[in-house]
Amino acid sequence: MFSDYSATELGSIFAMQGFAGLILFAVFLLMALGLAIIFGQMGVINMAHGEFMILGAYITYLTSNVFADYFPALFGGYFFVAMVLAFLAAAALGALVEWTVIRRLYHRPLDTLLATWGLSLLMQQSYRSIFGAREVGVEVPDWMAGSFQVTDFVELPVNGLFVMCIAVAVTLAVYLLMFRSSWGSRVRAVVQNRPMAGAVGINTAKMDRMTFALGCGIAGIAGSAFTMIGSTGPSAGQDYIVDTFLVVVFGGAASILGTVASAFSISQAQSTMEFFLGGSMAKVLTLLTVVIILMFRPQGLFTLKVRK
Amino acid sequence: MSAATARATNTDFVLAVEGLTVSFEGFKAVDDLSFYVDEKEIRVIIGPNGAGKTTVLDLICGRTKATEGSVKFRNKELTTLNEHEIVRAGVGRKFQTPSIYEDLTVFENLELCYPRGRNVFGALFFKRDQKVINKVRETAEMVNLLDQIEDSADLLSHGKKQWLEIGMLLIQDPALLMLDEPVAGMSVTERQQTAELLRRITADRSVIVIEHDMQFVAEIADHVTVMHQGKILAEGTAEKVKQDPKVIEVYLGH
Amino acid sequence: MSNFSLSNLMTRQDVLGFVVLALILLVVLPLSLDVMRLNQVGKYLSFAFVTVGLVLCWGYGGILSLGQGVFYGLGGYALAMFLKLEASSPENTSIQSTPGIPDFMDWNQITELPWLWEPFHSFGFSLLAILLVPTVLAYLIGFAMFKRRVSGVYFAIITQAISSILTILIIGQQGYTGGVNGITDLQTLMGWSIRTDYASYVFYFVGVALLFVCLFIAQFITKSKLGRILVAMRGQEDRVRFSGYDVANFKIFVFCVGAAFAAVGGAMFTLQEKFMSPSFVGIVPSIEMVIFCAVGGRLSILGAVYGALLVNVFRTVLGESFPELWLFAMGLLFVGVVLAFPDGLAGVYQKYAAPTVDRFLDKAPLFRRWPSSTSHSEPIKAS
């Protein structure tokens, strides 16, 4: 399949697809981080995670409209406000969901999967009722609209670079929060030994709620980033949930480095193959590869061997 | 593994553990351990918490895979076998916390462990004939559960759950029985009854017991192995190890 | 063979349940519904094959598969391929640029029947393929997963990925599969029109008969020692290994049975709806079938049938009058059943109605002496 292209063309193709893959990587990573926190730390399967992302995307869309209508002078900065609002909205909804549904199901992981799937249907239909079935897009501020011309063939869009910066920043923040803050060590204490954590005075119910809310909030940020590269529709989130889960499982839940590496390899593989094989076959091959690797390494790529 | 395997030779022992090592991310929970169990011997393993006692049982019964070394049961290498193959070879294991099938009745718990119809189609067409029923009732009687044979297992008291699990092992008729703290969490009466039960059922098989209660240990043990930090600290009769200064220092002293 | 007598296989409540279901499906519904509605019920019942299989896999075995649509779809496609070839005889397709191949292939500039399609000229092969292709696939997936001890949510996610893969493949390869529209315009079965009212009746009753075959197999499995091993495995998988069983084999078996049931259901769908499409293969239908099962009761094979029927009737009623409410209703159903009724309708029946029914049966002449339990720990009296 390479023989039709010259070496420079191939180089540019790989560079372009690699960069396109990096944007996919950013969305995967943001989605997977939230999911990895919820699944890895709490063992809960949140099938509505994609819908939390879409909530963030709609919040971003609303914010951009509000800025365009009322503060056109500040339009260039709306995205930062939107990101914060998206995080807060998704986190608040997450806390509510944890309180009403999830906390009753901690000892039944497979049932959280069904309940959150139901939740995803409710959220999708709500979006459809509120925002309509048509996909909406946001207007990209001027400063994000351009692109850098790297070589004759390769140009890198600014919004793509920006989304990646967000992903990296959020990842770093999550890492610091989970592994360098006392809050993070409390969360990890609850994961490792719930009764013991409770016995030493950690409010485990509150930790669970905040952890779940944090995971959902990060999905909200992912939604903000998502608006930069795709249009938002009521069921757009559903397309991402399986991929994201594979990213989390492939990376080995509870390992941030694993999540990063796995999001990177899956997005790059998919993006590069897409050019040569077309979107659907690329996706089939990526999924198939991940499934097969998981058969041989069910614990994921980055997990420690511990005594059960 | 090959060096240690080569070292292991055929013996008359029921169980020959040689050079057994397991490490978790560099931490050696069991470190180059060797010991031998005779036919019909009752071996008690004692030692402080974290000495690796339960891990040794896990290694023998295949629950944890050894990093190095060999476990031979009647000269059959166990380290390469799966759990169910080790059970079928004749090794039975009782867990520390009672591990029974709570959704099934006492009868069904025992019947499930009856060593017949263990493959898929054998289980599908398993016939509850007179022989099975008699054997189950006989076992239930032995572990004092005949009165409650129709009860759901989750309704049993903690002590009776322990007995049920012992019964489930008995019906398998293992040549080597491994018991992890069989009297932990029991009342004094239950303790006595269990000791009595153990004496009866250990008569015609080899047994490895993990136990903390030294009085209980002295009562039942032929040999005692003291473990500390994954290694053997002392070995011998209960009397002998009780007087060993090293044992007193790390284990009995406090 | 006293062990295999009916009274060991079924309690009197089971017998009553089977009789009532048979009366509803064979007498009440055919007499009270017109042929179009009955055909719809037949379609709903095709999902019941899947849910009964899910009771075995999920309810008993604790294996949640979110990819049952794969097996349902493969069964349906296997039959649809046969019927499509029959509908695409050279005479029927003489206006195509390549007569004798399915119309969608012609539209996609394919000029020769792909080799994969060739054997589906044979009815016998197609029938075998309906059962074997999904079962073999389930065996391969099961073997790869369960021998490696992949289970729980990991298994659920991987089955979901597999159903996603198959859907993308079917839609992407439209020249070979009919793409997103699926395989449509099925006309005759061995020269006999499948589009008549008479055919609808025949397929309905064939479907019910096959469903009862599956129900009896499922009943036999749940009442066998294998059924109890599954229950034991669900709670104490490790302990089952130490009772001398190879846990993976039991999971593989029950997963294969579930796949075979689903495949039969898919084939019945194709017969009754006269098409098969990827919209019954993917993630969404697969998880919907799980909720049918949960509504009926994940531990009750009869409940699973009612679950499939009632949710779909509900969907049709709601969909005809308030289509936008359907997703809300379905979402609430998922959350509500899981939170409030984890044992579904069957659980509600067990709790509230079963004791009354039992007292009634004590007086009923037919049932009085039928045992209310199938567990006999007392020595069986020679009779």
Side-chain angles (χ1 to χ4, degrees):
Chain A
M1 62 184 179
F2 298 138
S3 55
D4 303 341
Y5 304 97
S6 74
T8 34
E9 276 173 339
L10 270 181
S12 310
I13 289 167
F14 277 112
M16 291 291 282
Q17 290 303 119
F19 188 76
L22 284 179
I23 296 179
L24 192 61
F25 163 65
V27 175
F28 272 180
L29 180 59
L30 285 171
M31 279 284 281
L33 268 182
L35 208 59
I37 289 174
I38 294 174
F39 177 60
Q41 305 296 324
M42 308 169 73
V44 166
I45 298 286
N46 181 17
M47 296 302 277
H49 205 70
E51 280 63 39
F52 279 97
M53 174 181 99
I54 293 305
L55 177 67
Y58 275 121
I59 297 283
T60 310
Y61 163 74
L62 289 180
T63 315
S64 84
N65 283 358
V66 168
F67 269 74
D69 291 350
Y70 300 103
F71 318 104
L74 300 172
F75 189 75
Y78 87 86
F79 193 79
F80 299 96
V81 179
M83 242 169 52
V84 174
L85 290 179
F87 175 83
L88 291 178
L93 186 64
L96 182 71
V97 166
E98 201 278 344
W99 182 63
T100 49
V101 180
I102 307 292
R103 74 190 166 107
R104 297 163 213 275
L105 297 173
Y106 280 124
H107 52 290
R108 286 151 54 193
L110 289 178
D111 282 359
T112 57
L113 198 154
L114 296 180
T116 50
W117 178 270
L119 184 71
S120 80
L121 297 183
L122 288 174
M123 289 170 77
Q124 279 176 35
Q125 188 56 44
S126 308
Y127 299 150
R128 201 164 287 133
S129 306
I130 299 169
F131 300 102
R134 273 191 47 229
E135 297 196 333
V136 296
V138 299
E139 203 180 317
V140 178
D142 292 338
W143 64 271
M144 275 202 256
S147 61
F148 296 115
Q149 194 78 26
V150 183
T151 69
D152 287 348
F153 293 102
V154 183
E155 54 179 311
L156 304 180
V158 176
N159 62 353
L161 287 171
F162 182 70
V163 166
M164 274 173 45
C165 293
I166 298 173
V168 171
V170 171
T171 311
L172 211 62
V174 168
Y175 172 78
L176 293 176
L177 189 63
M178 296 302 284
F179 293 95
R180 289 287 178 271
S181 78
S182 66
W183 188 81
S185 62
R186 284 205 294 276
V187 170
R188 285 178 293 131
V190 174
V191 173
Q192 285 179 8
N193 192 332
R194 184 168 293 269
M196 196 58 215
V200 298
I202 298 174
N203 182 345
T204 58
K206 193 175 151 201
M207 287 327 279
D208 286 337
R209 189 153 320 137
M210 287 173 69
T211 314
F212 195 82
L214 175 70
C216 293
I218 296 173
I221 299 182
S224 279
F226 179 75
T227 58
M228 293 290 106
I229 54 173
S231 48
T232 306
S235 48
Q238 214 166 42
D239 300 340
Y240 284 85
I241 189 70
V242 173
D243 301 37
T244 314
F245 256 114
L246 287 180
V247 168
V248 172
V249 175
F250 189 55
S255 151
I256 288 187
L257 178 68
T259 307
V260 173
S262 135
F264 183 79
S265 43
I266 291 181
S267 57
Q268 285 299 319
Q270 186 160 328
S271 170
T272 312
M273 282 194 290
E274 213 160 81
F275 187 85
F276 297 103
L277 300 171
S280 69
M281 279 317 279
K283 189 143 188 197
V284 166
L285 275 180
T286 320
L287 289 178
L288 208 57
T289 315
V290 173
V291 165
I292 289 170
I293 292 177
L294 280 178
M295 283 181 187
F296 289 99
R297 230 187 123 74
Q299 70 276 42
L301 289 181
F302 299 86
T303 34
L304 298 177
K305 190 175 162 193
V306 288
R307 199 178 80 151
K308 274 178 277 183
Chain B
M1 185 191 267
S2 58
T5 316
R7 221 178 334 133
T9 43
N10 286 356
T11 59
D12 297 334
F13 297 111
V14 168
L15 187 78
V17 176
E18 299 189 335
L20 192 63
T21 303
V22 68
S23 72
F24 303 109
E25 295 292 320
F27 167 70
K28 285 188 174 167
V30 172
D31 190 1
D32 196 20
L33 191 78
S34 299
F35 69 94
Y36 304 86
V37 179
D38 268 325
E39 287 285 354
K40 303 198 178 158
E41 179 190 336
I42 300 183
R43 168 70 57 103
V44 179
I45 302 178
I46 61 171
N49 285 334
K53 304 181 298 284
T54 300
T55 310
V56 171
L57 295 200
D58 284 348
L59 287 164
I60 296 171
C61 71
R63 197 172 188 223
T64 305
K65 289 280 163 231
T67 317
E68 242 180 279
S70 126
V71 176
K72 283 197 170 183
F73 172 71
R74 292 190 163 154
N75 296 321
K76 187 176 188 182
E77 183 60 51
L78 296 187
T79 48
T80 53
L81 299 183
N82 283 325
E83 292 97 323
H84 67 274
E85 292 166 326
I86 295 174
V87 171
R88 289 179 195 182
V91 179
R93 160 86 187 268
K94 193 202 158 305
F95 291 90
Q96 204 165 342
T97 49
S99 143
I100 54 169
Y101 308 126
E102 307 222 329
D103 295 330
L104 301 178
T105 66
V106 170
F107 183 93
E108 289 168 337
N109 265 279
L110 291 170
E111 182 196 50
L112 211 64
C113 301
Y114 185 78
R116 201 182 70 198
R118 276 169 161 174
N119 61 32
V120 168
F121 292 99
L124 190 59
F125 298 107
F126 177 84
K127 198 161 164 291
R128 185 178 285 175
D129 58 20
Q130 203 58 56
K131 208 175 149 208
V132 177
I133 293 172
N134 290 345
K135 181 72 187 166
V136 168
R137 293 180 66 85
E138 192 185 297
T139 311
E141 188 164 17
M142 202 183 267
V143 295
N144 306 321
L145 287 171
L146 195 53
D147 297 343
Q148 284 166 289
I149 196 161
E150 281 300 336
D151 288 358
S152 178
D154 59 343
L155 300 176
L156 299 178
S157 69
H158 177 81
K160 285 185 171 173
K161 282 181 181 168
Q162 299 273 36
W163 290 346
L164 175 58
E165 196 182 354
I166 293 174
M168 288 158 72
L169 285 174
L170 282 183
I171 209 166
Q172 289 175 11
D173 196 21
L176 173 65
L177 189 60
M178 301 193 293
L179 306 168
D180 199 344
E181 301 199 21
V183 294
M186 281 191 175
S187 69
V188 180
T189 1
E190 282 174 332
R191 226 169 234 253
Q192 278 163 354
Q193 282 173 310
T194 308
E196 218 267 311
L197 173 65
L198 287 182
R199 259 193 299 278
R200 253 189 301 147
I201 63 174
T202 52
D204 46 1
R205 63 191 97 232
S206 308
V207 185
I208 300 177
V209 188
I210 293 178
E211 195 43 79
H212 282 295
D213 185 333
M214 276 314 284
Q215 195 194 337
F216 186 78
V217 170
E219 230 172 279
I220 61 169
D222 293 327
H223 278 94
V224 178
T225 298
V226 188
M227 280 187 71
H228 181 53
Q229 294 180 342
K231 292 185 170 140
I232 289 178
L233 189 69
E235 203 168 44
T237 60
E239 273 315 302
K240 191 184 140 203
V241 299
K242 251 192 210 171
Q243 269 131 40
D244 190 313
K246 280 184 296 181
V247 177
I248 293 169
E249 191 196 326
V250 306
Y251 181 53
L252 299 174
H254 47 259
Chain C
M1 296 288 278
S2 58
N3 191 48
F4 297 127
S5 71
L6 204 55
S7 69
N8 278 351
L9 190 59
M10 290 179 160
T11 65
R12 56 190 190 183
Q13 289 258 2
D14 292 336
V15 175
L16 185 70
F18 270 77
V19 170
V20 169
L21 183 67
L23 282 176
I24 292 175
L25 296 183
L26 292 172
V27 181
V28 177
L29 292 180
L31 291 181
S32 55
L33 297 178
D34 63 36
V35 64
M36 193 198 99
R37 288 288 182 191
L38 193 66
N39 191 48
Q40 260 180 335
V41 173
K43 178 172 95 175
Y44 306 156
L45 285 179
S46 77
F47 298 123
F49 288 88
V50 184
T51 55
V52 172
L54 277 169
V55 168
L56 294 177
C57 294
W58 178 39
Y60 276 81
I63 309 161
L64 177 56
S65 162
L66 297 181
Q68 291 307 92
V70 167
F71 309 119
Y72 184 85
L74 285 175
Y77 267 97
L79 188 60
M81 283 162 84
F82 170 77
L83 296 174
K84 186 68 188 173
L85 285 182
E86 191 174 313
S88 313
S89 65
E91 305 85 67
N92 290 346
T93 52
S94 52
I95 51 159
Q96 290 176 186
S97 43
T98 314
I101 63 170
D103 45 12
F104 59 83
M105 291 185 188
D106 198 56
W107 302 332
N108 284 284
Q109 284 83 45
I110 287 175
T111 53
E112 200 182 346
L113 194 65
W115 60 268
L116 195 68
W117 277 71
E118 281 298 344
F120 287 92
H121 279 297
S122 150
F123 187 53
F125 176 87
S126 305
L127 285 185
L128 266 182
I130 290 171
L131 275 179
L132 286 185
V133 172
T135 313
V136 169
L137 180 65
Y139 182 84
L140 294 177
I141 296 171
F143 191 89
M145 298 290 169
F146 299 134
K147 288 283 180 189
R148 306 280 318 170
R149 301 199 181 164
V150 178
S151 60
V153 290
Y154 290 85
F155 183 78
I157 298 302
I158 287 177
T159 50
Q160 200 166 41
I162 291 170
S163 76
S164 170
I165 290 171
L166 188 66
T167 319
I168 298 171
L169 267 182
I170 292 174
I171 294 175
Q173 303 296 311
Q174 56 175 331
Y176 301 96
T177 61
V180 72
N181 295 322
I183 299 181
T184 54
D185 267 334
L186 308 175
Q187 299 293 342
T188 55
L189 173 69
M190 315 281 279
W192 179 67
S193 172
I194 59 172
R195 293 181 169 268
T196 61
D197 286 356
Y198 176 62
S200 293
Y201 276 115
V202 170
F203 293 146
Y204 175 80
F205 285 107
V206 169
V208 172
L210 287 173
L211 181 62
F212 269 90
V213 171
C214 291
L215 284 172
F216 275 110
I217 294 174
Q219 177 78 11
F220 182 79
I221 291 174
T222 58
K223 293 292 177 185
S224 71
K225 189 173 86 164
L226 194 148
R228 294 191 289 280
I229 291 171
L230 292 178
V231 172
M233 245 164 52
R234 197 180 52 202
Q236 293 274 357
E237 184 171 323
D238 232 13
R239 192 70 187 77
V240 176
R241 294 202 176 93
F242 292 109
S243 297
Y245 298 99
D246 188 349
V247 164
N249 287 347
F250 290 87
K251 291 189 173 177
I252 294 169
F253 172 78
V254 79
F255 188 51
C256 286
V257 172
F261 284 4
V264 176
M268 285 317 299
F269 177 91
T270 301
L271 273 183
Q272 301 185 70
E273 292 298 298
K274 290 101 189 168
F275 80 99
M276 189 69 208
S277 87
S279 56
F280 298 95
V281 175
I283 293 173
V284 176
S286 295
I287 199 166
E288 278 180 0
M289 295 187 210
V290 173
I291 206 65
F292 302 161
C293 177
V295 169
R298 62 183 80 169
L299 284 170
S300 163
I301 55 174
L302 293 177
V305 178
Y306 290 107
L309 268 180
L310 292 177
V311 177
N312 279 291
V313 169
F314 180 51
R315 164 186 288 193
T316 308
V317 172
L318 210 61
E320 281 171 4
S321 23
F322 311 98
E324 70 282 3
L325 282 184
W326 167 243
L327 269 187
F328 275 128
M330 191 77 174
L332 284 175
L333 204 59
F334 267 90
V335 180
V337 165
V338 168
L339 279 184
F341 303 103
D343 289 327
L345 292 171
V348 175
Y349 171 84
Q350 275 301 330
K351 197 167 170 196
Y352 299 105
T356 322
V357 174
D358 225 31
R359 274 199 298 282
F360 171 75
L361 289 179
D362 278 336
K363 297 187 194 105
L366 263 173
F367 284 100
R368 200 180 312 147
R369 293 181 54 201
W370 194 289
S372 54
S373 148
T374 52
S375 168
H376 308 298
S377 62
E378 294 297 315
I380 298 167
K381 289 170 197 78
S383 57

